[in-house]
Amino acid sequence: MAEITLQDIIKPENLVYKKTDLMTDKPLSYCPGCGHGTAHRITMEVIEELNLAEDTIGVAPVGCSVLAYEFMNVDMTQAAHGRAPAVATGIKRVWPNKVVFTYQGDGDLAAIGTSETIHACNRGENIVIIFINNGIYGMTGGQMAPTTLPGMKSSTSPYGRDVAMMGNPLKMTELVAQLPGTYFVTRQAVHTPAAVRKAKKAIKKAFENQRDCKPGLSFIEIVSNCNSGWKMTPTDANKWMEENMFPFYPMGDIKVDGQLVK
Amino acid sequence: MAKVRGAIVVDVEKCKGCGVCLPACPTDVIDLASEVNGKGYHYAFMNQPDECIGCSNCAIVCPDGVITVYKVKLNR
Ligand SMILES: Cc1ncc(C[n+]2csc(CCOP(=O)(O)OP(=O)(O)O)c2C)c(N)n1
Ligand code: SF4
Ligand code: SF4
Ligand code: SF4
């Protein structure tokens, strides 16, 4: 058999994976190895696969992903810090036939935006919330967030989070699962191929729920790294995340089709 | 017997050399170059191209979406 060369393999007819056209060609503003990019891409892959590109409106947050609208090639707007669920509520009520989602970090969603998050969930707005939990305020220099783990170091808890003084971390996802307005609540990750495939399935389910007018809000937490804020290399940060974040923020579905499963 | 061969193309100037694709590869194809791209990053490349099976794992975890994957089935 004649040897096959790279030129024989690298041909359009042999293509099996390329970045979706629903991501723009702009270089992402994120640090090397940051999970934001992967979460953006699989969200856009889902919208492409469901053929919803023309019918989707996204709301970007304040935080590192403030420029998500530069990278996601669908109609988008950007909300004041923490207010994305309120803005999305307005958009969805004016355009009930559009598919509306927010994309928010943990500082945005679980600190300044706690009220908007909880009330949108409790009202059962028919939107999708994608919540990137990296346990820290990435954009502003790695300050402690409500999600920072007990004992975890940040720029404002340099000796580790002291729960007696600084309070307990907030499990927003478990909390919103208790509200009658949520229909699908799950926690995922995007640091390995298997995790990405699972997270993508969950995001797909969330958008299908909204498309099919299922009653309530779909909430997807993605536990992710902030390797810059954690002061680790990207691969060390992913390992640290598995060992420290996952035991506190366990993976998997919490509520499916309006029923608690955990 | 059918055998599979794959190949990846890295958009070198957009790669940030984060190394997240390395542990994702089941056959240890990828390494970071000793050279750097225009932004100073040690970009990813196929160090062992013959081992690639075109599984797309590397492309799926690449935060910057800079990997394109090709695959052929060989019959012999
Ligand atoms: C009203 C208001 N308060 C505070 C800030 C400062 N600020 C900008 S981003 C941010 C936190 C972002 O953290 P997170 O939501 O976790 O996102 P990440 O950057 O980690 O992705 C804060 C406090 C602001 N921009 N606006
Ligand atoms: S600061 Fe953290 S969250 Fe922000 S882009 Fe860098 S790694 Fe990602
Ligand atoms: S995961 Fe992507 S950006 Fe990171 S080194 Fe590999 S190809 Fe480059
Ligand atoms: S396609 Fe699969 S085998 Fe080929 S380099 Fe990527 S991860 Fe490795």
Side-chain angles (χ1 to χ4, degrees):
Chain A
M1 188 191 76
E3 268 304 303
I4 184 156
T5 66
L6 284 181
Q7 283 76 13
D8 297 327
I9 306 173
I10 301 170
K11 285 181 180 165
E13 61 267 32
N14 299 331
L15 179 76
V16 284
Y17 188 91
K18 77 182 226 324
K19 190 187 76 177
T20 165
D21 291 338
L22 289 189
M23 287 293 286
T24 63
D25 284 329
K26 290 185 185 140
L28 300 180
S29 51
Y30 305 114
C31 306
C34 173
H36 271 306
T38 315
H40 282 24
R41 178 165 43 81
I42 60 175
T43 303
M44 289 300 108
E45 284 177 2
V46 163
I47 289 172
E48 181 178 47
E49 286 166 23
L50 296 178
N51 212 4
L52 290 172
E54 298 299 319
D55 297 307
T56 299
I57 303 175
V59 186
V62 168
C64 283
S65 50
V66 63
L67 296 177
Y69 54 79
E70 294 279 355
F71 311 129
M72 298 180 174
N73 210 354
V74 295
D75 286 343
M76 292 201 62
T77 183
Q78 191 269 327
H81 207 6
R83 299 341 180 207
V87 172
T89 296
I91 295 172
K92 184 70 185 181
R93 288 185 178 208
V94 173
W95 281 301
N97 295 331
K98 295 283 178 189
V99 167
V100 180
F101 75 97
T102 74
Y103 183 100
Q104 305 173 255
D106 48 313
D108 190 84
L109 179 144
I112 193 167
T114 310
S115 166
E116 282 75 8
T117 306
I118 288 182
H119 287 295
C121 288
N122 200 40
R123 291 192 306 269
E125 299 297 339
N126 195 7
I127 60 174
V128 172
I129 292 183
I130 297 172
F131 164 39
I132 308 298
N133 178 8
N134 55 23
I136 217 165
Y137 293 176
M139 185 192 209
T140 43
Q143 291 85 358
M144 184 172 60
T147 46
T148 302
L149 299 176
M152 182 174 168
K153 287 187 178 141
S154 71
S155 60
T156 49
S157 58
Y159 306 110
R161 182 181 190 147
D162 172 3
V163 168
M165 187 170 82
M166 300 155 181
N168 294 292
L170 184 59
K171 294 189 185 186
M172 206 59 178
T173 304
E174 275 79 357
L175 199 151
V176 301
Q178 300 302 320
L179 304 173
T182 48
Y183 187 76
F184 175 46
V185 180
T186 187
R187 182 181 285 120
Q188 303 288 332
V190 292
H191 65 310
T192 64
V196 173
R197 289 189 174 98
K198 268 195 196 151
K200 189 175 159 185
K201 263 191 201 150
I203 294 173
K204 194 170 217 173
K205 193 174 170 66
F207 279 96
E208 284 169 348
N209 286 342
Q210 188 180 159
R211 179 198 63 190
D212 300 341
C213 302
K214 292 286 164 54
L217 187 146
S218 292
F219 189 98
I220 296 151
E221 172 177 344
I222 295 175
V223 179
S224 188
N225 72 46
C226 173
N227 57 74
S228 289
W230 299 355
K231 308 208 181 307
M232 296 174 198
T233 66
T235 42
D236 284 351
N238 284 341
K239 202 158 165 272
W240 189 91
M241 177 175 75
E242 279 183 353
E243 288 165 3
N244 298 277
M245 298 280 280
F246 290 7
F248 193 85
Y249 296 115
M251 293 293 117
D253 295 345
I254 300 171
K255 194 178 199 180
V256 179
D257 297 344
Q259 302 296 319
L260 286 169
V261 293
K262 218 183 231 171
Chain B
M1 195 185 86
K3 195 174 175 284
V4 168
R5 276 287 309 271
I8 63 168
V9 175
V10 177
D11 186 343
V12 167
E13 285 309 316
K14 284 199 184 134
C15 170
K16 293 177 183 164
C18 69
V20 170
C21 53
L22 269 62
C25 176
T27 54
D28 241 351
V29 171
I30 311 172
D31 218 331
L32 298 181
S34 49
E35 298 81 28
V36 293
N37 64 15
K39 287 195 175 132
Y41 292 124
H42 294 277
Y43 56 87
F45 77 109
M46 280 202 287
N47 192 30
Q48 303 199 72
D50 294 349
E51 302 299 317
C52 179
I53 54 170
C55 68
S56 301
N57 274 4
C58 54
I60 286 170
V61 291
C62 171
D64 289 83
V66 302
I67 301 179
T68 306
V69 187
Y70 298 86
K71 181 158 106 175
V72 287
K73 278 203 185 90
L74 306 174
N75 291 305
R76 55 171 184 157

